[in-house]
Amino acid sequence: MEGTAFTPALEGIQHVKLEEGDMLTTPFLEVCKHILPVIDKFGASMILVKSDIGGNISRLESKHSSNPSDFNHLYNMVRAEVEAKTAKASSSCTNGLLWLTRAMDFLVALFHNLLEHKDWTMSQACADAYGKTLKKWHGWLAGSSFTVAMKLAPDRKKFMEVLGGSGDIYADIEKFCTSFSPLLEENHKFLASVGLDDLKAS
């Protein structure tokens, strides 16, 4: 593969925001989609995460396609639901964006751990990232399922080799964490501004 598994996402991140700062729906979702092949390389340990991310991307894409001009900007979907008083529903796009952002927080934390702690096993890196991100939002059932799944994490050395392709995997992971984290932070700030950043799993 040309470059690393992160190359398509790194290229996509450059197109997520307009010059005036607005986050665009399709480019943001495309970056999230580009991370799905990376998640595939984790095998069984990430089946839950992948299905969650894929489901939330589909939900947001479906809303976007219902009115592409109005929902060209990512946060307009949330504003429309806040106005209609449907934002807190479990099937809302607001909920979809929140959980998509949280899942991406987890992955960024995990990739950051692989960068910073070269002596950690994959399971250690996963468990630490989960504790810092998703754990507080999950109920007992989701938490238990996640903990069991993390134990199926692949061998770290093989995983990094598969992702590396013809590029510098550690340099690309660092670029991805540095450039994607601010976009996720922006999502949280916006959701917090409408009082919707702290919804928990039912």
Side-chain angles (χ1 to χ4, degrees):
M1 108 183 109
E2 275 296 309
T4 71
F6 287 91
T7 302
L10 287 171
E11 286 169 1
I13 285 170
Q14 299 168 38
H15 308 291
V16 170
K17 286 179 79 172
L18 291 172
E19 275 181 35
E20 53 269 31
D22 287 337
M23 192 101 67
L24 297 171
T25 304
T26 301
F28 176 76
L29 295 178
E30 285 298 319
V31 171
C32 296
K33 275 192 202 169
H34 286 315
I35 295 302
L36 292 175
V38 178
I39 300 172
D40 275 337
K41 305 292 186 287
F42 281 93
S45 66
M46 289 285 178
I47 285 173
L48 291 169
V49 179
K50 187 181 178 197
S51 116
D52 195 45
I53 289 173
N56 286 322
I57 290 173
S58 297
R59 186 189 302 185
L60 291 160
E61 279 184 331
S62 169
K63 181 81 169 176
H64 172 259
S65 63
S66 72
N67 193 335
S69 57
D70 273 9
F71 298 139
N72 184 36
H73 292 185
L74 189 59
Y75 301 156
N76 284 355
M77 295 188 202
V78 176
R79 291 187 186 104
E81 289 183 341
V82 168
E83 213 170 292
K85 298 190 167 39
T86 57
K88 288 186 180 176
S90 60
S91 60
S92 71
C93 283
T94 303
N95 214 338
L97 177 61
L98 177 61
W99 282 101
L100 178 58
T101 302
R102 285 174 179 170
M104 290 293 159
D105 287 337
F106 162 69
L107 292 171
V108 167
L110 168 54
F111 298 140
H112 187 261
N113 282 345
L114 293 174
L115 203 60
E116 295 295 313
H117 304 283
K118 301 218 168 53
D119 56 329
W120 282 13
T121 64
M122 189 64 89
S123 292
Q124 272 177 292
C126 287
D128 179 81
Y130 180 66
K132 285 178 183 161
T133 56
L134 287 169
K135 189 177 182 182
K136 65 180 169 185
W137 306 113
H138 275 169
W140 181 82
L141 190 64
S144 306
S145 308
F146 221 93
T147 306
V148 170
M150 292 297 112
K151 291 177 179 155
L152 303 170
D155 174 73
R156 177 190 173 124
K157 188 168 178 290
K158 283 184 194 151
F159 176 80
M160 298 305 271
E161 281 168 5
V162 169
L163 289 189
S166 63
D168 180 342
I169 186 60
Y170 283 106
D172 275 9
I173 286 178
E174 184 167 17
K175 279 186 215 155
F176 177 75
C177 292
T178 307
S179 55
F180 199 44
S181 295
L183 300 178
L184 300 175
E185 190 52 42
E186 210 168 304
N187 285 353
H188 284 302
K189 276 187 184 156
F190 172 73
L191 289 163
S193 76
V194 288
L196 295 165
D197 195 44
D198 57 355
L199 301 177
K200 290 201 170 188
S202 46

